[in-house]
Structures are given as structure tokens and as C-alpha cells.
Amino acid sequence: MNNLAVIFDMDGLMLDTETLAREAWFNTMREFGIDLTDAVYLQVLGTTAVRTRQIFQAAFGDDIPIDAMYNHKQRHIDHAIAQGRIAAMPGLIALLDYLDAHHIPKAVGSSTSRALVLKKMSVAGVRDRFEVIVGGDEVQHGKPAPDIFLRCAGLLHMPPGQCVVLEDSDNGVRAAHAAGMRCIMVPSLKPPADDVLPLVNAVVGSLSEAMAVIDKL
């Protein structure tokens, strides 16, 4: 299977962090007197810090103290990391072992900044399992633009058409499709949007189920 490469999203796909991120943002917004709703929050899933800022400013006004909010949110996340609250999702290690056994190259393409990606992956014990890691601050445009996944493919020296993306968010699926890659969705906080379903090769309930789909590809 050396004609195939697999690119992983991180938050909510590999690592059980989306619930933690939601907790951090809702906590932060309450501290700043803002009523954050799921309708607004779900728009930021799978996108970059820059796009998240734009979404929150559009919802709550350009004058919100977004930098202070980000700092507050990050302190919450850092505290959770220090407590060891980040763990690998079920099936991840077995899937990585399977890909290694079949000599399938692997990359991580995350909207999170590279420094935080490396920190989270180190805590979860999977940082050294990937040949390539690309963070959201290393590309010009974040998901749903294809930049992150195209950079992963380039660093893996693989054509986009030979890459399979594993994603949990609508924005991530859209990015994979825009990159010309096949995509397997493993939803976390929300089911796929109606317009996303035609863009995926499969929607599965876990990384263990994703392994069977990859095997057929």
C-alpha cells in the first residue's frame, strides 16, 4: 500500500480534546459576560485561530477583547494538559500500528498552532508516530481551504489523489475535498452537515471502523 498516505486531523479525531476546547471557550465567554451558543461555537470547529477570531467578532462585535479571551482560554487548556486530561481516542494506536505494518506514510494536518499540536501529541504519547506534522499557523489559509492538507501531501511527497484524510469536522472535510483527497469522517461533537455527506468516502463511528475502510482503499 505504498501508493497511499493517510493524513490525520488532531483535535476530536486523534485526541479527545474537542469537549475540553468547548469547555474552555464557554468558560471564557462567561467570564467576559458573553452568552456563547452552540450555534456560534460549532462554526469554529476544525478551523484556525484567525478564522475563529473572525467568527466570534462577527457574532459579538469587533470590539470584544479577543486577545484577552484567547489568553484566558489557553490558560484553561494548559491547565488541563498539565493535569493529563488529553488522551488518545479509542482505536488510534491500533490504527497507527496497522499503517506502520503496511508501510503507509502518515501526517498530521491540524488547524491548531504547531507548538500546541506538538505539546498535545507529546502528552498523549503519539508525537513520534508521524513523519510529517503541519499546524494551522504554517499555512496562509486554514480549513476549509485546502492549504494544510496540500502542504502535508507535499512534505510526504505524495500526490493529493493518493492521500486519504481522516477528519471529524465539516470544515476539515471541505478542506480535504478542496485538496482533491479522499476523506473518511469520524464525527465528534456534531454529525456531518447535509452538504458535507457527498464529499466523504465514508462516515464511521470510530478510528477502528476507519481502519476497515482504509484497508479497502
Side-chain angles (χ1 to χ4, degrees):
M1 292 191 189
N2 56 4
N3 62 339
L4 188 71
V6 177
I7 304 174
F8 290 70
D9 176 49
M10 184 184 69
D11 291 302
L13 186 282
M14 288 201 307
L15 305 184
D16 189 9
T17 52
E18 287 292 13
T19 300
L20 175 60
R22 182 185 185 280
E23 173 188 302
W25 270 120
F26 273 78
N27 175 283
T28 295
M29 292 294 188
R30 280 194 300 270
E31 287 291 321
F32 284 84
I34 294 175
D35 183 21
L36 179 61
T37 64
D38 277 325
V40 173
Y41 181 71
L42 291 176
Q43 295 177 51
V44 310
L45 292 184
T47 195
T48 61
V50 171
R51 181 62 185 138
T52 296
R53 287 168 180 260
Q54 294 170 346
I55 290 169
F56 285 155
Q57 286 174 327
F60 306 118
D62 289 338
D63 58 344
I64 60 171
I66 192 68
D67 289 328
M69 289 176 167
Y70 251 99
N71 290 336
H72 185 284
K73 186 270 299 187
Q74 195 53 52
R75 286 194 297 272
H76 188 103
I77 296 288
D78 288 342
H79 181 65
I81 291 174
Q83 290 180 315
R85 290 180 58 192
I86 293 180
M89 292 292 262
L92 174 63
I93 303 304
L95 176 55
L96 295 178
D97 290 344
Y98 167 86
L99 297 176
D100 286 344
H102 289 83
H103 307 290
I104 299 174
K106 309 173 299 301
V108 173
S110 172
S111 294
T112 300
S113 67
R114 180 179 180 84
L116 191 52
V117 169
L118 296 177
K119 180 185 290 188
K120 289 180 178 180
M121 291 178 64
S122 293
V123 170
V126 294
R127 175 174 173 173
D128 296 331
R129 299 296 303 267
F130 294 86
E131 292 89 329
V132 166
I133 297 174
V134 176
D137 57 341
E138 297 182 281
V139 295
Q140 184 174 2
H141 302 291
K143 304 172 188 177
D147 301 33
I148 291 173
F149 293 141
L150 290 175
R151 180 169 172 80
C152 285
L155 293 172
L156 288 171
H157 306 292
M158 294 290 286
Q162 291 177 218
C163 296
V164 178
V165 173
L166 296 175
E167 263 289 354
D168 70 303
S169 73
D170 291 341
N171 282 325
V173 171
R174 294 182 182 112
H177 180 73
M181 300 177 181
R182 289 169 285 182
C183 186
I184 301 169
M185 190 176 192
V186 190
S188 56
L189 289 185
K190 66 180 289 293
D194 291 342
D195 68 301
V196 164
L197 283 172
L199 309 182
V200 298
N201 290 78
V203 179
V204 298
S206 69
L207 291 174
S208 298
E209 293 178 39
M211 190 188 312
V213 179
I214 293 170
D215 187 56
K216 293 177 182 178
L217 296 175

